[in-house]
């Protein structure tokens, strides 16, 4: 989910009997084969495969005409084995595919230069080892993100409504983390890290369809899909862009290259303003021809990457897409969303359109709310989302009704912040790619890296 710079229900299929869990590019996703479900058929075999016969006879007077009866064979139910592969669409919780919390790692990149010592330093390794819960939560969220987004990339097609796409993604995330978010407080344990962004063409960020939205994805659209997944407040923020017309290929390539540059150059003690310069240089080396007109690819300068805090998608540090004078350094233990946006327009966005994204402020003031609907809504927000961003559809899911007046009152009171869609010049096109990185004591882990990007 971008930071403004200071400058339908799916059908579930049976799990296959063998295969590999869909993991990261470097993932330890191989799983042993085995039956996923009890077939439900009667079994007359013992563990060694021999027929079980109970030969108790019934005595009959006279002996000659006596007969022996076999008792009916006892049914031996097979034990259900753990699933070993994901379904299509995704429905098997990640915790069942990777027992004992042994989730795949992201891409681990050793530090260089003056930080090279960290890789083998005993003190740093000890610090890394005591973060096992932190890493387990992040890797579970990241594996959920990979499996859902890779399924989404294969299944998002022109002709679908944005609501259909959003619901399919979000329902899959909730199934894979094992929390549907319908009971009070359940969404705080694990689920969506923020509303799914489905941003078309000149809309760069913060658009998610509200109830009743009839927008349909078309073949000439460029769609940016921004997905957040959290486990115990550890948020993985990663995005990709899709287009069906090859004339947009250079636009997508420029932004993907710029994001990978930011990921590569990021590290402990790196100054954020200098990092923005590397990103800018990469992106501006591309141009794109659309309908016979050649456009330079411009980084969108007033949308930034950001650090991520527990239960808070936007921290206190920003990662610009252009060179700045910001001398703030990345530090050990920081978690960053490295996201870049490139545009054929002005390279600067403004707020426009219906708001869908909201979040309770971490520094929310204590206000004496006079509107009863605002009071009750705030209670529901605290119990179900806390400071995790939500959208109107999420309020609809938990049974909130006629809440717009109360919601607007919370925004005006400074308790809840709204995030209107961010839009560049009309008729322009923009793209986005994003990864979450962990600056661990011993290594940089690109936690959201996968085979797709």
């Amino acid at each position: 989910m971008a930071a403004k710079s200071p400058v339908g229900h799916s059908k579930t299929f049976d799990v296959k009997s063998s295969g590999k869990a869909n993991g990261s590019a470097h993932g330890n996703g191989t799983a042993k084969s085995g039956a996923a479900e009890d077939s439900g058929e009667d079994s007359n075999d013992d563990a060694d495969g021999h027929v079980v016969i109970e030969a108790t006879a019934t005595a009959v007077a006279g002996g000659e005409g006596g007969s022996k009866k076999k008792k009916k064979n006892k049914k031996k139910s097979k034990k259900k084995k753990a699933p070993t592969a994901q379904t299509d669409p995704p429905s098997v919780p990640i915790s069942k595919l990777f027992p004992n919390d042994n989730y795949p790692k992201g891409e681990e990149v050793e530090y260089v230069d003056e930080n090279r010592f960290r890789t083998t330093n005993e003190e740093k390794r000890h610090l890394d080892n005591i973060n096992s819960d932190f890493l387990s939560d992040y890797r579970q969220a990241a594996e959920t993100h990979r499996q859902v987004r890779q399924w989404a990339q294969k299944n998002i097609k022109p002709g679908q409504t944005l609501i259909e796409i959003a619901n399919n993604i979000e329902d899959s995330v909730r199934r894979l983390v094992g929390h549907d978010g319908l009971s009070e407080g359940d969404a705080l344990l694990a689920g969506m890290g923020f509303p799914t962004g489905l941003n078309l063409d000149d809309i760069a960020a913060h658009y998610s369809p509200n109830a009743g939205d009839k927008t349909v994805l078309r073949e000439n659209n460029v769609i940016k899909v921004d997905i957040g997944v959290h486990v115990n407040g550890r948020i993985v923020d990663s995005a990709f862009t899709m287009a069906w017309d090859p004339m947009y290929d250079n636009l997508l390539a420029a932004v993907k290259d710029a994001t990978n540059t930011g990921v590569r150059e990021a590290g402990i003690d790196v100054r954020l303003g200098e990092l923005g310069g590397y990103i800018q240089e990469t992106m501006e080396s591309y141009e794109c021809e659309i309908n016979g007109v050649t456009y330079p690819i411009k980084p969108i300068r007033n949308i930034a990457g950001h650090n991520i805090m527990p239960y808070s998608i936007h921290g206190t540090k920003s990662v610009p897409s252009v060179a700045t004078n910001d001398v703030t350094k990345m530090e050990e233990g920081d978690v960053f969303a490295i996201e870049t946006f490139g545009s054929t327009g002005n390279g600067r966005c403004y707020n426009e359109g219906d708001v869908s994204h909201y979040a309770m402020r971490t520094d929310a003031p204590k206000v004496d709310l006079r509107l009863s609907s605002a009071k009750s809504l705030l209670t529901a927000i605290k119990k179900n989302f806390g400071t995790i961003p939500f959208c109107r559809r999420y309020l609809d899911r938990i049974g909130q009704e006629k809440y717009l007046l109360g919601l607007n009152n919370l925004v005006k009171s400074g308790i809840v912040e709204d995030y209107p869609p961010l839009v560049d010049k009309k008729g322009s096109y923009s793209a986005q790619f994003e990864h979450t990185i962990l600056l661990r004591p011993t290594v940089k882990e690109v936690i959201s890296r996968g085979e797709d990007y």
Side-chain angles (χ1 to χ4, degrees):
M1 180 175 166
K4 287 196 73 174
S5 172
V7 239
H9 183 71
S10 304
K11 181 180 177 182
T12 303
F13 297 89
D14 291 338
V15 181
K16 297 178 182 177
S17 62
S18 64
K20 293 184 179 181
N22 186 10
S24 68
H26 309 271
N28 306 314
T30 305
K32 296 179 182 178
S33 64
E37 296 285 346
D38 186 354
S39 66
E41 297 174 358
D42 295 349
S43 173
N44 295 330
D45 294 352
D46 65 8
D48 297 318
H50 304 299
V51 176
V52 178
I53 300 175
E54 300 208 4
T56 330
T58 303
V60 178
E64 182 71 20
S67 64
K68 293 182 179 180
K69 276 189 174 181
K70 294 178 185 176
K71 284 188 178 179
K72 287 184 178 179
N73 298 329
K74 291 182 179 180
K75 295 179 181 179
K76 298 189 76 176
S77 60
K78 295 179 181 178
K79 291 183 178 179
K80 290 185 178 181
K81 294 185 178 180
T84 57
Q86 190 52 268
T87 58
D88 184 1
S91 64
V92 181
I94 297 298
S95 59
K96 291 187 177 181
L97 294 176
F98 298 93
N100 304 317
D101 296 338
N102 188 24
Y103 304 109
K105 297 179 180 179
E107 177 190 19
E108 292 185 329
V109 183
E110 292 185 358
Y111 293 120
V112 297
D113 301 330
E114 65 270 16
N115 283 309
R116 188 181 296 275
F117 78 96
R118 293 173 171 275
T119 304
T120 56
N121 182 272
E122 287 298 323
E123 180 184 354
K124 299 301 181 185
R125 290 172 67 180
H126 173 69
L127 289 173
D128 225 6
N129 289 335
I130 63 177
N131 281 331
S132 58
D133 289 344
F134 168 86
L135 290 174
S136 176
D137 289 344
Y138 255 114
R139 288 170 180 165
Q140 182 183 2
E143 183 62 19
T144 297
H145 199 293
R146 273 188 292 272
Q147 293 197 18
V148 171
R149 78 171 187 246
Q150 288 172 8
W151 173 82
Q153 288 165 10
K154 291 185 291 185
N155 288 276
I156 293 175
K157 297 286 191 300
Q160 294 175 317
T161 65
L162 296 191
I163 282 191
E164 178 185 0
I165 295 169
N167 286 338
N168 286 342
I169 288 171
E170 292 166 355
D171 288 346
S172 296
V173 167
R174 295 180 183 115
R175 288 194 297 265
L176 266 57
V177 297
H179 294 271
D180 63 15
L182 292 174
S183 59
E184 190 174 280
D186 192 51
L188 287 171
L189 300 176
M192 298 305 300
F194 52 81
T196 300
L198 298 175
N199 305 286
L200 299 180
D201 303 338
D202 55 355
I203 305 173
H206 296 170
Y207 185 94
S208 194
N210 290 318
D213 191 317
K214 300 185 185 305
T215 305
V216 174
L217 179 64
R218 303 190 309 271
E219 286 193 8
N220 62 343
N221 285 142
V222 177
I223 184 170
K224 296 154 285 289
V225 183
D226 196 356
I227 305 172
V229 179
H230 91 90
V231 174
N232 292 320
R234 314 291 188 186
I235 305 173
V236 171
D237 185 359
S238 185
F240 58 92
T241 300
M242 299 178 69
W244 288 265
D245 192 320
M247 70 180 175
Y248 303 119
D249 286 354
N250 263 19
L251 172 62
L252 273 61
V255 181
K256 183 185 289 186
D257 193 5
T259 293
N260 282 329
T261 296
V263 169
R264 183 181 66 247
E265 299 296 334
I268 295 171
D269 296 331
V270 171
R271 298 184 187 276
L272 297 174
E274 292 179 3
L275 183 58
Y278 298 134
I279 292 169
Q280 180 179 9
E281 182 179 10
T282 298
M283 195 177 300
E284 290 182 348
S285 67
Y286 287 80
E287 57 185 23
C288 180
E289 183 178 325
I290 298 177
N291 296 324
V293 180
T294 300
Y295 298 91
I297 308 301
K298 299 176 182 177
I300 298 180
R301 59 182 56 242
N302 63 332
I303 309 181
H306 46 89
N307 67 322
I308 302 173
M309 307 293 286
Y311 288 101
S312 181
I313 187 61
H314 293 152
T316 58
K317 299 179 182 179
S318 296
V319 183
S321 293
V322 295
T324 72
N325 295 323
D326 188 353
V327 295
T328 304
K329 290 183 178 181
M330 293 180 156
E331 299 173 279
E332 178 184 308
D334 278 346
V335 177
F336 275 97
I338 305 295
E339 61 180 326
T340 72
F341 295 81
S343 173
T344 62
N346 296 326
R348 185 175 290 277
C349 285
Y350 56 92
N351 296 335
E352 182 180 271
D354 290 339
V355 179
S356 59
H357 287 49
Y358 299 85
M360 188 171 70
R361 298 175 61 99
T362 55
D363 58 349
K366 291 185 178 180
V367 178
D368 183 18
L369 295 170
R370 297 182 180 181
L371 201 62
S372 60
S373 61
K375 290 180 182 179
S376 61
L377 180 60
L378 180 58
T379 298
I381 291 170
K382 287 180 177 179
K383 290 181 176 179
N384 289 279
F385 310 113
T387 52
I388 290 178
F390 60 92
C391 64
R392 295 187 201 175
R393 285 182 295 105
Y394 296 2
L395 295 176
D396 298 334
R397 283 187 88 243
I398 62 172
Q400 293 295 306
E401 298 177 345
K402 299 179 180 178
Y403 51 75
L404 274 180
L405 182 62
L407 184 56
N408 289 334
N409 185 254
L410 293 176
V411 171
K412 290 178 181 177
S413 300
I415 298 171
V416 168
E417 186 168 0
D418 61 351
Y419 297 88
L422 294 170
V423 182
D424 200 344
K425 178 183 176 182
K426 290 298 181 186
S428 65
Y429 296 91
S430 57
Q432 172 197 18
F433 283 90
E434 178 179 22
H435 274 304
T436 296
I437 64 172
L438 314 181
L439 298 183
R440 290 165 45 194
T442 59
V443 73
K444 173 174 62 180
E445 184 169 354
V446 188
I447 194 73
S448 54
R449 181 72 79 188
E451 293 178 353
D452 47 346
Y453 66 96

